[in-house]
């Protein structure tokens, strides 16, 4: 049985605040999370509010290309 394109894909979420501010020298880096999304239900880019250890607060994390 041949498999077509899977509905679930692995994506990377990156902190938009850190990227926009070019990350401070004293911070640990850009916050990234790995998660999955259903391609059929959410065809557009995913954005979630997650905790960023670099900013020390909850910020919007957006989907990036691999």
């Amino acid at each position: 049985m041949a498999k077509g394109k899977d509905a679930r894909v692995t994506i990377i979420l990156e902190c938009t605040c850190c990227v926009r501010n070019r990350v401070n020298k004293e911070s640990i880096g850009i916050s990234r999370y790995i998660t999955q999304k259903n391609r059929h239900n959410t065809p557009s880019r995913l954005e979630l509010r997650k905790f960023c250890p670099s900013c020390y607060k909850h910020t919007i994390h957006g989907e990036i290309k691999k």
Side-chain angles (χ1 to χ4, degrees), residues 1 8 14 19 33 40 45-47 65:
M1 195 179 244
R8 289 230 162 249
E14 187 176 72
V19 174
Y33 286 92
H40 298 301
R45 296 241 175 178
L46 190 63
E47 286 188 341
K65 290 185 178 179

Side-chain angles (χ1 to χ4, degrees), residues 9 11-14 16 35-39 41-48 60-66:
V9 290
I11 59 168
I12 300 171
L13 299 174
E14 187 176 72
T16 55
T35 187
Q36 291 183 341
K37 78 169 187 176
N38 189 323
R39 190 181 302 163
N41 294 342
T42 53
S44 59
R45 296 241 175 178
L46 190 63
E47 286 188 341
L48 296 174
I60 296 175
H61 285 64
E63 182 180 341
I64 61 168
K65 290 185 178 179
K66 291 182 186 179

Side-chain angles (χ1 to χ4, degrees), residues 12-23 29-33 48 50-64:
I12 300 171
L13 299 174
E14 187 176 72
C15 179
T16 55
C17 187
C18 291
V19 174
R20 190 171 45 235
N21 295 338
R22 306 269 181 175
V23 185
I30 297 172
S31 172
R32 289 188 173 164
Y33 286 92
L48 296 174
K50 303 286 252 175
F51 181 77
C52 178
S54 302
C55 301
Y56 301 108
K57 59 184 176 182
H58 283 84
T59 58
I60 296 175
H61 285 64
E63 182 180 341
I64 61 168

